[in-house]
Amino acid sequence: MKLRLLLILAILSIPALTRAQEDEPTAVARTTMKKVFTYAKRLGLKSEGLSAEIYSQFGFRTTRRSRYARYLPQFFRFEQGTNEYYGETHLNLSIDPHAGSDIHEYGSYSTHPNADKLRLRTAQNFAPSLYEGKLFFDRLLSPLNSRNRRYYRYYCQDGVKVDSTGEARQRIKIVPRFYNTQLVTGYVDVDTLSGAVRFYSFSFYYEMTRFRISGYPGREGLASLYPERFNIATRSSVLGNSFNASFIGHADYSFAVPKDSIPPLPRRKRFDLTEQYLQRIDTTKAVHTQEYFDSVRHYPLPRDAQEAYKIARQREDSLAKAEPVEREKSGMEEAFDFLFGRHRWDVGNSGRLKLPAIITPEMFSWSKRKGFVIQTRMRLDLDLSKSSRLSIVPKASYSFGQHEFYWRLPVRFSFAPRREMMLSFETGNGNHIYSGIQAEEVRRQMQGSDNFSELDRLLNSYDFNFYRDFYMRLDYSVKPLTGLKFEAGLRYHRRSLIGWGEEAASHGMKRHAETLAPRLHAEWTPCLYYYRDTSGRRVPLYSHWPTLRLDYERGFSTGSLETSYERIEFDAAYVIQLYALRSIYLRGGGGFYTRRGAGYFLDFDYFCDENLPEGWQDAMSGRFYALGNRWYNESRYYARFSATYESPMLLFSRLKWLARVVQRERIYANIVSLNSLNPYAELGYGISTHVLDVSGFLGIAPGKDLTLGAHIIMHF
């Protein structure tokens, strides 16, 4: 009996022993990673930015099977067939915790004539911040930071090994807990005594490209936080067109002194990042010859690169002797350049004209209510003097669902850059609108009903007399302090009744309604970081505080201007940047009419059916997609609140085959209170990809009625 009992206990203990054996490497990895997580803090290694002098060699192999590959978004343009290229670069990379990264190129050479875009884009990956929360300034959660350990699993790989210096090293394998383009996989070799990483190798997928980065950090001090020698390999393939590149390089670092050890800046200079931000990429003084690199080369050129250099030198010598002959493009290539390429021309010595492509994805959007919308714009900038500029940015769109054409012509003259004074004029057409008298009449019909379906049916069935809107705006603005803006101007509207006739006249409807109204506007963003451009104008960057706006507008009656009103609106927008590349967008505000004369129009600025949105960021600021457009002009007041949560790793971005496509996911919550609709809410979910953003909305209204809305916008 005892023997049988011992046998049973032995059998039952086998899984426990197995788990203990399996957990031992994990426990060792956990202990080792604790030293890694605390390495910088234990040794007091902290800086407020760095400057790195970097030398690198690179080579890339391209395969292009289709001439149309050059029009693929975010894809390096290369020649037909399979080709190999080599080159070198010598640059300075500066990283500031507030202003991002700067690149100053000393010299570059490549056997490919147009490798600048590749070099400078990859240069930002030369110096990852291994122990910080993000490996790079704007992406990738580092597995060597303790705040990110919930996203990774760590395992011991092989036993402890002693290197040639007598240092004991442990290799730790790193595996993300779920697949996402903000996470990496790979391994690190760790000094078991100090916790310093002596070698790293990470791979990740980002913007349609597979990356593998590896390197050896410095041996001691602040240099041990960054790679001293590095390797980068990239691979991308789209529609049978492939691009493979590799970089090897060496970096020498210098570090900024922490702020707590130097006197604080004066308050007025605290938010000025001009010195750190003025020149983002400087290639003006770069030398582009092979001879330059004979004195700065850290590694000998591979044999293939030496042969390619010889061939390139012979080709350069022959081209220098011969007259340059430009290759003529085929008719198909010229057509594609015209339709899909952006165009830019210099106007005189101080002007620039930018025209969009005839056909680009960024021009198209779709929503359930408006159908397909095509939008385009152009831009003309004229530098009239060192301190004054004239900008003209015409915009136009057509809604196929509404059968409406919208246009806008803003003209801005900026001067006195230190105070950012601006005189602006804009003309265009707005949405079709009905008068406030009709709004009051239909509002009386809706009294007593609290069911959204019934309210919406009454509103849509009412036979409104819509007006076309033509407007002009004249404004003068000044920014006396950073983040503070005052604006004063005039608003003119001429609204013309659609379908004017004797019947409309018999009901007392005006054929035209004109309005002239002075307007005052104030805007304040506290603690706004900025930099000054070459003219001295402050260019805003970001703030950790909300932006507050207040508007006052009053129309008056005199002569043909028979529409008087008074309107007040206020608005607040706040962007909260959370850890792990997440964000919360908050917006709230309201508006009301304190005076309503005969024939007035309910037309708010911050609560309206936008016909020419600025872009997808504007869509996150509290727009309603399931709400009918007639509701925007029904109420004499409104109060609304909106919130959007954005994250790169919510639901679909965790799935392996979707994570490469889905860059961001968003959750929306919008609520508004109107006179006859109190309250109305929309909940939504959206995803952002490389070429389009898709979102769906569920409207929740009184009476437990539900409505659906959707929105799609295409972009580069």
Side-chain angles (χ1 to χ4, degrees):
M1 183 67 179
K2 292 182 178 179
L3 183 61
R4 186 182 301 173
L5 181 60
L6 290 174
L7 183 60
I8 294 173
L9 291 175
I11 295 173
L12 293 175
S13 65
I14 290 176
L17 291 173
T18 304
R19 284 194 299 270
Q21 292 174 354
E22 291 176 348
D23 290 343
E24 184 177 354
T26 305
V28 174
R30 188 180 301 114
T31 302
T32 304
M33 290 307 299
K34 285 182 179 179
K35 294 182 180 181
V36 175
F37 294 149
T38 60
Y39 170 74
K41 185 176 182 181
R42 281 187 288 108
L43 274 67
L45 302 177
K46 181 182 179 182
S47 72
E48 288 296 328
L50 63 86
S51 177
E53 185 171 324
I54 297 174
Y55 164 81
S56 71
Q57 296 177 9
F58 60 89
F60 53 97
R61 179 186 178 91
T62 65
T63 300
R64 196 182 93 185
R65 297 180 178 177
S66 170
R67 69 179 61 180
Y68 309 127
R70 62 181 301 185
Y71 303 105
L72 296 174
Q74 301 180 3
F75 206 64
F76 182 70
R77 296 186 177 184
F78 43 82
E79 298 173 344
Q80 187 76 21
T82 299
N83 300 278
E84 292 186 357
Y85 307 94
Y86 299 91
E88 297 171 273
T89 184
H90 183 211
L91 54 85
N92 180 273
L93 174 65
S94 299
I95 299 178
D96 184 271
H98 297 292
S101 60
D102 294 328
I103 296 175
H104 295 258
E105 194 170 53
Y106 302 134
S108 67
Y109 181 79
S110 174
T111 57
H112 189 285
N114 300 312
D116 293 348
K117 181 179 179 181
L118 168 70
R119 277 198 325 272
L120 299 176
R121 179 183 177 187
T122 310
Q124 298 180 357
N125 301 321
F126 287 164
S129 305
L130 298 175
Y131 298 88
E132 296 293 333
K134 289 177 284 189
L135 280 174
F136 304 105
F137 188 76
D138 60 345
R139 63 188 188 277
L140 295 181
L141 301 179
S142 172
L144 308 184
N145 186 279
S146 60
R147 295 188 68 179
N148 300 330
R149 56 188 172 187
R150 66 180 182 270
Y151 301 114
Y152 293 98
R153 291 188 175 94
Y154 305 91
Y155 305 97
C156 284
Q157 197 172 16
D158 304 328
V160 177
K161 297 181 179 180
V162 179
D163 65 6
S164 58
T165 63
E167 187 177 82
R169 295 187 182 182
Q170 175 67 65
R171 175 161 292 186
I172 303 296
K173 182 180 180 181
I174 300 170
V175 179
R177 293 180 180 271
F178 52 88
Y179 192 90
N180 187 267
T181 56
Q182 296 296 338
L183 304 178
V184 303
T185 184
Y187 64 89
V188 292
D189 290 341
V190 181
D191 175 8
T192 57
L193 182 62
S194 66
V197 172
R198 297 309 187 191
F199 177 78
Y200 66 89
S201 177
F202 300 139
S203 62
F204 55 91
Y205 187 89
Y206 187 77
E207 289 190 350
M208 304 170 63
T209 303
R210 169 66 65 182
F211 286 82
R212 180 178 292 276
I213 61 174
S214 60
Y216 296 88
R219 295 293 300 179
E220 54 187 38
L222 287 169
S224 66
L225 305 181
Y226 299 91
E228 186 178 78
R229 292 176 292 157
F230 60 84
N231 293 270
I232 300 174
T234 70
R235 184 177 73 255
S236 57
S237 179
V238 178
L239 302 177
N241 304 280
S242 63
F243 177 85
N244 299 322
S246 62
F247 292 76
I248 61 171
H250 180 276
D252 294 315
Y253 294 94
S254 60
F255 298 91
V257 180
K259 285 185 176 180
D260 53 10
S261 62
I262 59 177
L265 291 172
R267 183 174 181 84
R268 64 186 180 86
K269 289 288 187 179
R270 187 179 305 173
F271 305 105
D272 188 349
L273 303 179
T274 302
E275 294 183 3
Q276 303 95 320
Y277 213 95
L278 186 58
Q279 186 68 55
R280 309 308 296 167
I281 296 179
D282 181 11
T283 61
T284 56
K285 299 179 181 179
V287 181
H288 304 286
T289 63
Q290 296 182 20
E291 291 77 12
Y292 172 83
F293 288 95
D294 293 338
S295 60
V296 299
R297 186 175 293 128
H298 282 259
Y299 313 106
L301 286 173
R303 182 173 298 177
D304 292 344
Q306 294 178 18
E307 293 297 326
Y309 271 34
K310 291 179 181 179
I311 296 173
R313 185 186 296 276
Q314 294 173 0
R315 183 173 64 247
E316 291 169 0
D317 292 341
S318 62
L319 290 175
K321 296 177 181 179
E323 295 183 2
V325 178
E326 186 176 352
R327 184 183 71 87
E328 293 186 3
K329 295 182 179 180
S330 66
M332 184 64 70
E333 287 179 321
E334 291 183 348
F336 265 75
D337 285 343
F338 178 72
L339 294 174
F340 291 94
R342 293 183 176 90
H343 310 282
R344 174 174 175 169
W345 292 278
D346 292 331
V347 180
N349 296 325
S350 59
R352 296 162 300 281
L353 175 62
K354 297 180 182 179
L355 294 180
I358 303 300
I359 300 176
T360 60
E362 65 180 342
M363 295 171 58
F364 298 101
S365 66
W366 178 89
S367 63
K368 182 181 178 181
R369 181 161 48 84
K370 291 188 176 183
F372 283 100
V373 177
I374 184 171
Q375 180 175 323
T376 188
R377 68 189 66 192
M378 61 174 287
R379 184 181 185 94
L380 174 63
D381 292 313
L382 296 173
D383 296 326
L384 304 180
S385 67
K386 186 177 180 180
S387 59
S388 61
R389 174 182 295 179
L390 182 68
S391 298
I392 305 174
V393 190
K395 306 174 185 179
S397 73
Y398 182 79
S399 170
F400 289 88
Q402 296 176 314
H403 305 289
E404 292 296 332
F405 175 76
Y406 301 103
W407 62 277
R408 183 185 301 172
L409 179 62
V411 180
R412 297 182 177 91
F413 172 64
S414 56
F415 58 99
R418 286 287 171 178
R419 289 290 176 260
E420 298 184 63
M421 297 184 183
M422 180 181 293
L423 186 65
S424 61
F425 171 80
E426 181 178 315
T427 182
N429 66 336
N431 296 297
H432 289 180
I433 189 174
Y434 52 87
S435 68
I437 296 176
Q438 291 178 300
E440 292 179 359
E441 181 178 339
V442 72
R443 197 181 303 123
R444 286 193 295 268
Q445 296 182 15
M446 292 191 295
Q447 287 180 354
S449 176
D450 58 359
N451 183 279
F452 177 72
S453 297
E454 181 65 20
L455 292 171
D456 201 47
R457 186 190 65 80
L458 286 170
L459 190 64
N460 290 321
S461 63
Y462 186 84
D463 189 16
F464 286 107
N465 296 104
F466 285 99
Y467 286 79
R468 292 190 181 93
D469 181 24
F470 169 79
Y471 68 85
M472 291 188 292
R473 302 173 182 173
L474 180 65
D475 292 294
Y476 167 77
S477 64
V478 61
K479 295 182 180 179
L481 300 173
T482 302
L484 181 62
K485 175 183 177 181
F486 294 111
E487 189 173 79
L490 291 173
R491 296 289 185 271
Y492 170 78
H493 287 269
R494 178 181 173 85
R495 298 181 171 96
S496 302
L497 186 64
I498 300 174
W500 167 260
E502 295 183 359
E503 183 178 355
S506 64
H507 288 81
M509 302 296 298
K510 297 181 180 179
R511 185 172 185 177
H512 302 290
E514 295 181 272
T515 302
L516 183 64
R519 174 180 176 266
L520 299 176
H521 170 83
E523 182 176 320
W524 183 39
T525 305
C527 303
L528 179 65
Y529 287 89
Y530 68 95
Y531 74 93
R532 291 189 182 274
D533 61 16
T534 53
S535 68
R537 185 176 304 278
R538 287 168 293 201
V539 179
L541 295 173
Y542 62 90
S543 173
H544 300 299
W545 293 82
T547 297
L548 309 175
R549 302 181 184 90
L550 178 64
D551 281 66
Y552 173 81
E553 185 175 316
R554 177 161 182 168
F556 52 87
S557 296
T558 176
S560 62
L561 306 172
E562 300 179 1
T563 302
S564 63
Y565 64 91
E566 185 177 60
R567 186 182 77 237
I568 299 174
E569 282 188 88
F570 54 92
D571 185 78
Y574 193 18
V575 180
I576 305 174
Q577 299 293 342
L578 304 177
Y579 187 70
L581 308 172
R582 297 167 297 155
S583 303
I584 295 179
Y585 298 79
L586 302 175
R587 186 174 182 183
F592 52 90
Y593 278 76
T594 59
R595 177 185 176 89
R596 301 181 299 276
Y600 75 103
F601 290 81
L602 294 163
D603 192 7
F604 293 104
D605 282 345
Y606 297 136
F607 180 68
C608 60
D609 189 20
E610 187 67 61
N611 52 46
L612 279 169
E614 295 297 325
W616 182 247
Q617 291 292 331
D618 180 60
M620 291 194 295
S621 63
R623 295 169 63 192
F624 294 82
Y625 287 101
L627 187 67
N629 59 339
R630 297 187 180 186
W631 284 102
Y632 289 96
N633 311 113
E634 177 271 338
S635 178
R636 294 187 297 266
Y637 67 87
Y638 75 91
R640 65 104 177 268
F641 175 78
S642 302
T644 302
Y645 174 72
E646 182 182 70
S647 173
M649 49 182 72
L650 272 179
L651 178 61
F652 293 113
S653 55
R654 292 173 176 247
L655 303 178
K656 184 173 183 178
W657 299 110
L658 287 176
R660 294 186 177 186
V661 178
V662 179
Q663 294 180 301
R664 294 285 190 274
E665 294 177 86
R666 303 182 179 104
I667 297 176
Y668 306 90
N670 304 318
I671 186 170
V672 64
S673 176
L674 304 174
N675 184 84
S676 301
L677 189 60
N678 186 21
Y680 172 80
E682 283 187 8
L683 301 178
Y685 169 81
I687 61 174
S688 175
T689 70
H690 296 283
V691 296
L692 60 85
D693 292 346
V694 182
S695 58
F697 296 87
L698 176 65
I700 306 173
K704 299 182 180 180
D705 286 338
L706 303 178
T707 57
L708 297 176
H711 186 254
I712 299 174
I713 184 170
M714 304 184 71
H715 57 80
F716 276 118

